[in-house]
Amino acid sequence: MRAARDALKDEARPDAVRRQHERGRMTAREALAALVDKDSFVEYGGLARPVIEGMDAPAEGVITGTAKIDGRPVAVAFYDYTVHGGSQSYMGHHKLVRIFALAGELKLPMVCWLDGGGARPQDGSPGRRLAPETFVLFARLSGLVPTIGVVSQRAFAGHANLAGMCDCLIAVEGAAIGIGGPPLVYAATGSRLTPEEIGPLAVHRASGVVDIAVETDEQAIGAIRKYLAFLGPRRDEFQAPDPQKLRAIVPQRAQRAYDVRRVIEGICDIGSLQELRPDFGKAIVTAFGQIAGRSVGIVANQPMFLAGAIDSDAGDKAARFAQLCDAYGFPVLLLCDTPGLMVGPEGERTGIVRHGSRLLMALANARVPLMSVVLRKAFGLGFYIMGSQALRPAVLLAWPGAQYGGMGLEGAVEIAHGREIAAIEDETEREALRERYLAKMRHDGSAVETAARFLYDDVIDPADTRRLLELTMDTFSEPDPNRSRGTYVDAI
Amino acid sequence: MAGVIIEITAQPGQKVAAGDEILVLSSMKMEIPISAGAAGIVTEIFVEEDEVVKIGTLLFTID
């Protein structure tokens, strides 16, 4: 028995370990040990053997079991790249089916290290056995427990199928991901491509497949820990940022862009932020953060990109993020500075009518509190979606520069007064009239005038933002640790 | 999506810190300050003021 158990350890496989290290990677067991609390790991199926008589495959290439991460019980499934390239096998699937079912029953976050190229062809003609339930069971964990995946080197075929269903997918620099690896691509198209040519990390960052990109296995482990820590309990120790800094961020010039991340950093506990999908849907920033030790999900228009207009990708990104917040019980903090949804034929070609609505539907149907802060522009459907009173946010605050409009002001003037303006013969007089109407609309849409019509709960000093949000969050009940969304979180 | 270079704030040879403004781009009626991604020396600025630029155009390099 002892010999059988010892054969699983890295010490028993020095050549395999050395090769993995030469690739600049940790072994699966090293990564697992670095991630979980000391002596907390209970291994399931370590002694399971391949169905092929005599095939050597320690732990059948995937290490499964339960463990604790920073005291929190989790379930883990770590593919071992040193065992037949981390390929999936008949017995390996049985192990996953067992651990996924257990994670669902015991409500354990499921953490997967997805390192491999799909199925192991030698493992008894794949077509002759029943399709494994692995992927269906993993799909059913969505919305029930957090699912986190890391791609360290390769995730192709079966591994990519799992990657594509994770709440949060973390990938290490140099990783390649693809629904089909070189053999499948060759069979389908006749092209001989390397994994890096099929699906390099840059492609997946830009397409929204990968949520967090890191440089090393160690950073991936840190990212898992940080993500899980948002689940609670509330942190006692945290550092508040200097509130005065919030006053200096939005420029005086209305058309000058600024990076909304500075606002997010000015509100949240120092070091608490974890941004998801920064390279996709850039017109909105989505990040988890904490305010006075309590987790929130932040959705913020990004004026640096498309002037903060919401395009299809941003709508998708924010909608899915809202679903994640709903699944975890996090309040959503909406920071609004948008001229509205992206208009024009280019936007229509991307289906903005649907992708924009997707965000509204996600927020309107989320069962977590919303909090809104209008930083600057609050126009049309964009503002409606980004936390207007129709969504009944727990609080709706505006900064002094907030500019409200039912629609873009130039368009509004044109619709309401276009004929009257066009009737004037003298060009200077015409433009003067147009400017007077615009000025009136700007005045009516200014922060205090808008608050006077009770479209905002209050207009505040930006330096007061965090304090007021903290007080508002004091009115929320603690998120239920057994909370379930009741349905799955969209894959993208 | 196109933009216009409205102001070039830095010069080739200039030492910059991460976050320092290099130039200002105008697009979608917004003035977008483009900053240095990392600290270093501005080696070359490939555009000039009033130039119309398309997505993907290389604006400057920093060493």
Side-chain angles (χ1 to χ4, degrees), chain A residues 95-108:
Chain A
K95 288 177 65 171
L96 287 187
V97 163
R98 173 136 174 76
I99 201 67
F100 290 164
L102 209 56
E105 216 179 281
L106 299 177
K107 302 268 296 171
L108 302 174

Side-chain angles (χ1 to χ4, degrees), chain A residues 257-475:
Chain A
Y258 60 94
D259 187 348
V260 76
R261 289 187 184 94
R262 294 172 57 201
V263 177
I264 301 171
E265 282 160 12
I267 292 173
C268 293
D269 300 341
I270 294 178
S272 71
L273 292 172
Q274 189 170 46
E275 188 177 347
L276 303 183
R277 304 206 266 177
D279 303 315
F280 170 72
K282 293 190 255 197
I284 286 181
V285 173
T286 52
F288 289 134
Q290 295 199 315
I291 297 175
R294 282 204 200 92
S295 298
V296 293
I298 299 127
V299 175
N301 300 120
Q302 174 59 287
M304 294 287 282
F305 200 77
L306 297 179
I310 299 173
D311 68 349
S312 287
D313 282 349
D316 277 349
K317 177 168 107 168
R320 184 190 192 247
F321 183 76
Q323 292 179 0
L324 277 182
C325 293
D326 190 19
Y328 302 158
F330 298 166
V332 178
L333 173 59
L334 296 154
L335 301 180
C336 179
D337 182 356
T338 183
L341 266 58
M342 195 63 187
V343 299
E346 265 181 52
E348 298 308 332
R349 275 194 275 279
T350 68
I352 184 64
V353 166
R354 287 291 193 175
H355 293 283
S357 292
R358 186 165 173 237
L359 175 52
L360 178 56
M361 292 175 85
L363 290 171
N365 287 287
R367 298 158 311 145
V368 288
L370 308 178
M371 299 184 289
S372 323
V373 182
V374 179
L375 307 178
R376 193 166 59 179
K377 293 196 287 291
F379 287 94
L381 188 59
F383 172 49
Y384 190 90
I385 293 171
M386 287 298 292
S388 68
Q389 67 272 64
L391 282 164
R392 298 221 185 144
V395 73
L396 173 36
L397 304 170
W399 283 11
Q403 184 71 32
Y404 169 81
M407 58 178 289
L409 297 189
E410 286 83 358
V413 166
E414 191 54 38
I415 289 174
H417 308 289
R419 248 194 258 160
E420 182 195 343
I421 292 171
I424 296 175
E425 300 227 347
D426 179 55
E427 191 182 331
T428 318
E429 257 189 63
R430 207 188 313 139
E431 287 320 301
L433 182 61
R434 190 194 309 277
E435 187 50 42
R436 276 203 296 282
Y437 279 129
L438 274 171
K440 170 118 195 1
M441 284 203 172
R442 253 180 243 123
H443 171 75
D444 289 348
S446 62
V448 169
E449 292 301 312
T450 308
R453 299 196 302 282
F454 204 18
L455 268 61
Y456 306 137
D457 290 324
D458 202 2
V459 179
I460 62 165
D461 177 353
D464 241 355
T465 309
R466 177 193 161 92
R467 186 182 70 84
L468 294 170
L469 292 175
E470 199 186 325
L471 288 170
T472 303
M473 290 176 79
D474 284 341
T475 67

